[in-house]
């Protein structure tokens, strides 16, 4: 049910954190994965460590996205899975005080790049008889927040993008779903993990009383990419330890 042997995949932002965990999990299940990030050194290092092709890719560069898809299809003879994981948080703050240049960059990386990559990748997936696209959304796109502005807005857009693309591509057997992680223990969340007051408050709002791990998000991605998730499309799979459903008591 979870076998991905012979499948070709792209995972953007796959040199660390959730992206790397997803790439490793897909490889464990038999897939071949092109590793990519905007950092050439990181991409080369992780590519060598995982024994997979790597390609530097700035997801805001349409030509770089096109090269990523062309390289993958050339390397693997086709494409079956695309995971749009690359993203940034941007500057925290209210919309009233927002830096519009930062806002534009967050939307470009977190949302527009996913539209462009899917437009390039999904025809190749359809040509193989079908497959899976997984878009990285966030719990922040499902709740109001006074400090997470452009990021939350972009992630809400990603979940809607998954629904729209699922309708558009479903007749060609291409499934499109989103994953919305909650608070995950990664290198980027290190400062928050070290903030005792924040962690006490946030874990009290999480029924499982702990942060998630990148591997737990990767497990959800494997499910969505594999035959186990073959009848699932247009969904936003929330992996958050129960934070969304609790009243904090």
């Amino acid at each position: 049910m979870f076998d991905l042997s012979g499948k070709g995949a792209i995972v953007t932002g796959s040199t660390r954190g959730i992206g790397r965990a997803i790439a490793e999990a897909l490889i464990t299940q038999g897939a071949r994965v092109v590793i990519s990030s905007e950092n050439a050194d990181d991409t080369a290092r992780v590519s060598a460590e995982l024994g997979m092709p790597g390609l530097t890719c700035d997801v805001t560069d349409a030509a770089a996205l096109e090269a990523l898809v062309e390289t993958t299809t050339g390397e693997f003879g086709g494409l079956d899975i695309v995971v749009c994981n690359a993203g940034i948080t941007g500057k925290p703050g209210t919309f009233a005080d927002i830096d519009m240049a930062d806002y534009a960059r967050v939307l470009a990386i977190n949302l527009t790049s996913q539209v462009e990559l899917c437009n390039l990748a999904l025809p190749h997936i359809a040509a193989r008889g079908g497959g899976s696209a997984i878009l990285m959304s966030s719990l922040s796109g499902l709740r109001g927040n006074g400090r997470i502005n452009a990021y939350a807005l972009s992630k809400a857009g990603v979940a809607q993008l998954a629904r729209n693309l699922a309708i558009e591509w479903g007749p060609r057997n291409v499934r499109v779903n989103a994953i919305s992680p909650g608070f995950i223990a990664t290198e980027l969340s290190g400062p928050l993990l070290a903030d005792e007051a924040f962690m006490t408050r946030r874990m009290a709002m999480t029924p499982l009383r702990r942060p998630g791990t990148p591997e737990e998000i990767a497990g959800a991605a494997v499910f969505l990419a594999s035959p186990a998730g073959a009848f699932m499309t247009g969904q936003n799979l929330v992996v958050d330890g129960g934070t969304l459903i609790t009243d904090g008591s």
Side-chain angles (χ1 to χ4, degrees):
M1 291 290 284
F2 297 94
D3 182 30
L4 297 172
S5 296
K7 302 298 184 182
I10 291 170
V11 182
T12 62
S14 47
T15 58
R16 61 181 178 177
I18 290 171
R20 175 162 179 165
I22 290 173
E24 291 180 347
L26 296 178
I27 292 165
T28 296
Q29 297 303 318
R32 296 170 294 169
V33 179
V34 169
I35 305 301
S36 72
S37 82
E38 80 290 348
N39 186 292
D41 291 340
D42 287 348
T43 301
R45 174 178 53 80
V46 174
S47 172
E49 289 172 356
L50 300 184
M52 291 288 161
L55 187 67
T56 306
C57 180
D58 175 354
V59 296
T60 65
D61 183 339
L65 290 175
E66 186 173 0
L68 179 62
V69 172
E70 289 180 352
T71 297
T72 303
T73 56
E75 187 78 28
F76 301 151
L79 179 63
D80 306 281
I81 302 161
V82 61
V83 181
C84 300
N85 170 74
I88 60 170
T89 56
K91 298 177 182 178
T94 65
F95 276 106
D97 298 319
I98 199 164
D99 177 336
M100 290 306 295
D102 182 72
Y103 169 89
R105 179 164 171 75
V106 170
L107 269 290
I109 293 174
N110 292 5
L111 181 57
T112 303
S113 73
Q114 296 202 24
V115 174
E116 293 183 333
L117 180 53
C118 284
N119 281 342
L120 292 165
L122 299 194
H124 289 282
I125 295 175
R128 296 267 274 190
S132 176
I134 300 165
L135 316 184
M136 199 56 61
S137 186
S138 169
L139 177 63
S140 67
L142 292 165
R143 307 194 305 172
N145 190 296
R147 299 287 295 170
I148 305 175
N149 46 53
Y151 178 81
L153 184 61
S154 70
K155 293 301 186 177
V158 167
Q160 183 60 38
L161 177 62
R163 290 186 283 268
N164 284 9
L165 290 177
I167 291 172
E168 184 176 342
W169 288 92
R172 298 185 66 183
N173 198 34
V174 178
R175 298 179 295 104
V176 186
N177 293 286
I179 298 176
S180 282
F183 184 69
I184 307 300
T186 65
E187 178 183 336
L188 290 178
S189 61
L192 293 176
L193 290 165
D195 185 333
E196 185 175 349
F198 169 83
M199 290 300 294
T200 298
R201 182 175 70 254
R202 183 58 187 265
M203 293 305 99
M205 298 168 58
T206 302
L208 290 184
R209 297 296 192 266
R210 65 171 179 84
T213 68
E215 291 74 21
E216 287 167 328
I217 306 304
V222 168
F223 164 67
L224 292 174
S226 71
F231 200 53
M232 190 165 182
T233 196
Q235 301 304 305
N236 183 12
L237 186 57
V238 180
V239 187
D240 71 340
T243 304
L244 181 64
I245 57 86
T246 185
D247 62 1
S249 62

